């Protein structure tokens, strides 16, 4: 199967997904082995594909220059939730087909980040889509490029990605996710934080609604006092930090 990305760039699906656990930092998902800023810079210098450029923050796919195989990826969380458009809408997800990617050519390209976040109860899966039009037709397939991370394909085009059990992979910076399962409290706070940064609750926070501001302050306090899952709690603190700074003292 050949997949098409933005700009007509394409890659073939292979049999070998990335053997790396995702790192979910609350606002992004990383698939890579680098553990510092310096290692990340060397990694980008030694590979090709899509990458950050000035103020542009696209989704990132990096390929080995010799084998042309996918060796890393980074995905940005959308700013808009499908909850803001209508009743919750989530695409029907086909069975996941594990696989990697092999580039058709050595050439850099751009691939825009997704614009729409779809959620399910308790946020056991986060589905990120190029736009709401994707929901008008069924997906063709899901390519599992790493544990619990899939690319979503429609008419042969990559139109999104999904992360299963996001609470498990919460971490900060370049720290590997805790191999132990997340606590029930962490799972609840993930849902609360995602509520706080998406409509309609985010609009209430920005409008200074007392109940919404109380929820923001309560989430911030609970995360700071949480003793277990510290890396996960710190990741969620980072996710809501700007809102707490801007509105927490209202």
């Amino acid at each position: 199967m050949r997949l098409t990305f933005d700009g007509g760039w394409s890659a073939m699906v292979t049999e070998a997904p990335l053997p790396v656990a995702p790192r979910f930092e609350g606002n992004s998902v990383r698939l890579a082995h680098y553990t510092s800023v310096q290692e990340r810079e060397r990694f980008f210098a030694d590979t090709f594909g899509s990458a950050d450029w000035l103020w542009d923050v696209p989704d990132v796919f990096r390929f080995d220059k010799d084998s042309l195989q996918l060796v890393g990826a980074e995905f940005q969380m959308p700013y808009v939730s499908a909850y803001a458009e209508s009743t919750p809408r989530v695409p029907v997800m086909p069975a996941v087909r594990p696989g990697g990617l092999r580039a058709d050519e050595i050439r850099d390209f751009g691939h825009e980040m997704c614009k729409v976040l779809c959620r399910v109860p308790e946020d056991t899966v986060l589905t990120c889509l190029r736009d709401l039009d994707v929901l008008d037709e069924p997906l063709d397939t899901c390519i599992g490029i790493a544990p619990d991370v899939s690319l979503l394909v429609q008419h042969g085009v990559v139109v999104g990605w999904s992360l299963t059990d996001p609470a498990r992979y919460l971490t900060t910076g370049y720290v590997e996710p805790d191999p132990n399962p997340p606590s029930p409290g962490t799972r609840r706070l993930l849902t609360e934080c995602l509520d706080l940064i998406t409509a309609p609750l985010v609009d209430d926070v920005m409008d200074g609604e007392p109940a919404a501001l109380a929820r923001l302050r309560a989430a911030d306090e609970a995360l700071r006092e949480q003793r277990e899952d510290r890396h996960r709690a710190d990741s969620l603190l980072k996710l809501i930090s700007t809102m707490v700074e801007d509105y927490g003292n209202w």
Side-chain angles (χ1 to χ4, degrees):
M1 175 184 292
R2 175 173 278 105
L3 304 184
T4 300
F5 296 76
D6 288 355
W9 194 90
S10 59
M12 293 294 294
V13 177
T14 68
E15 296 182 354
L18 290 171
V20 57
R23 303 174 191 166
F24 179 35
E25 298 180 40
N27 55 6
S28 65
V29 175
R30 294 187 185 187
L31 300 172
H33 291 292
Y34 48 75
T35 59
S36 68
V37 173
Q38 294 75 19
E39 288 185 14
R40 183 178 187 270
E41 291 175 349
R42 288 195 294 269
F43 174 79
F44 273 68
D46 294 338
T47 57
F48 72 95
S50 63
D52 303 347
W53 180 253
L54 297 178
W55 297 279
D56 184 30
V57 186
D59 283 342
V60 170
F61 297 88
R62 302 303 293 179
F63 295 82
D64 181 78
K65 293 179 180 179
D66 295 323
S67 68
L68 308 189
Q69 299 287 336
L70 179 72
V71 289
E74 297 180 14
F75 303 105
Q76 305 301 318
M77 284 281 288
Y79 302 118
V80 177
S81 170
Y83 280 77
E85 302 294 331
S86 61
T87 55
R89 302 170 66 192
V90 179
V92 176
M93 304 293 281
V96 175
R97 170 187 171 180
L101 298 175
R102 185 181 187 277
D104 284 349
E105 59 180 322
I106 297 179
R107 176 169 66 87
D108 288 335
F109 65 100
H111 190 80
E112 291 299 317
M113 64 174 285
C114 290
K115 299 178 181 177
V116 177
L117 169 65
C118 295
R119 298 166 60 191
V120 297
E122 299 180 354
D123 293 300
T124 55
V125 180
L126 298 179
T127 302
C128 301
L129 305 176
R130 180 181 61 192
D131 51 48
L132 281 172
D133 291 343
V134 174
L135 295 171
D136 294 337
E137 298 183 66
L139 297 172
D140 297 341
T141 187
C142 298
I143 306 298
I145 60 170
D148 287 329
V149 178
S150 296
L151 297 182
L152 311 182
V153 182
Q154 191 176 70
H155 304 309
V157 177
V158 176
V159 295
W161 56 273
S162 69
L163 175 64
T164 300
D165 199 7
R168 174 179 292 275
Y169 299 108
L170 280 166
T171 189
T172 54
Y174 300 97
V175 179
E176 290 293 326
D178 189 334
N180 298 309
S183 69
T186 297
R187 293 187 183 278
R188 288 193 297 271
L189 284 167
L190 170 61
T191 291
E192 180 67 358
C193 289
L194 290 174
D195 285 346
L196 285 163
I197 66 169
T198 56
L201 186 55
V202 67
D203 297 327
D204 292 339
V205 171
M206 296 173 67
D207 289 340
E209 294 290 339
L213 295 176
R215 286 179 63 175
L216 175 64
R217 289 190 289 265
D220 180 62
E221 182 178 359
L223 288 167
R224 293 182 185 282
E225 294 180 350
Q226 183 170 315
R227 295 183 178 180
E228 71 275 9
D229 288 347
R230 270 321 312 166
H231 284 305
R232 292 179 174 124
D234 288 341
S235 178
L236 293 176
L237 279 170
K238 180 181 177 182
L239 181 62
I240 63 172
S241 61
T242 300
M243 294 185 63
V244 172
E245 181 179 347
D246 290 344
Y247 306 105
N249 293 322
W250 281 25

